[in-house]
Amino acid sequence: MIKIYHNPRCSKSRQGLEILENSGKEFEIVKYLETIPTQEKLKEIIKLLNISPIDLVRKNEKIWKEKYKGKELSDTEIIKAMVEIPKLIERPIVINGNKAVVGRPPETIKEII
């Protein structure tokens, strides 16, 4: 089943959700600020996305700039930061089987549905 990691306050995430709704396919919504992914789940998502953990971080978030910017962090430390502060996770993330994309721009979601 298709899964979207969604933040209702984010316009790109809402646009991604609309693409899924219009697709007519079944999907599951994970509001990741409420149901925070574990470190293991984030590692799985990052592997599906085929990116480095730092590429999933919202580097313009104030908390990132204040706490982490300019520091040498391991992949494990970056993942731990995203679990502790989930608003650092880029969104929306859509997973369909063994494929995943970050919906930025939202149209990239169409590639995997």
Side-chain angles (χ1 to χ4, degrees):
M1 175 177 299
I2 299 169
K3 187 179 283 193
I4 181 170
Y5 286 82
H6 175 60
N7 177 351
R9 296 185 65 199
C10 171
S11 64
K12 298 288 185 211
S13 198
R14 290 192 306 270
Q15 289 170 20
L17 181 61
E18 184 178 351
I19 288 169
L20 287 177
E21 289 170 343
N22 292 336
S23 76
K25 300 188 182 212
E26 282 191 40
F27 62 92
E28 175 186 352
I29 300 170
V30 178
K31 293 182 182 176
Y32 69 91
L33 294 178
E34 297 169 12
T35 307
I36 301 167
T38 63
Q39 287 187 41
E40 282 307 310
K41 179 52 80 177
L42 262 184
K43 285 180 191 174
E44 287 175 28
I45 291 168
I46 289 164
K47 187 174 181 181
L48 284 174
L49 289 166
N50 197 26
I51 60 175
S52 297
I54 192 65
D55 296 326
L56 194 58
V57 172
R58 296 177 53 81
K59 295 169 208 71
N60 287 327
E61 286 289 339
K62 184 179 177 190
I63 189 86
W64 177 263
K65 290 177 180 177
E66 290 173 352
K67 284 186 81 173
Y68 303 104
K69 188 176 179 184
K71 293 184 179 178
E72 286 289 324
L73 300 171
S74 68
D75 286 352
T76 301
E77 290 170 320
I78 292 167
I79 290 169
K80 188 176 177 196
M82 287 189 280
V83 170
E84 289 174 3
I85 310 164
K87 76 177 186 174
L88 291 176
I89 302 170
E90 191 60 84
R91 69 238 179 193
I93 300 167
V94 176
I95 300 172
N96 187 2
N98 63 353
K99 299 179 204 164
V101 295
V102 175
R104 289 188 170 266
E107 291 74 31
T108 59
I109 294 167
K110 294 176 182 176
E111 296 170 10
I112 67 165
I113 58 171

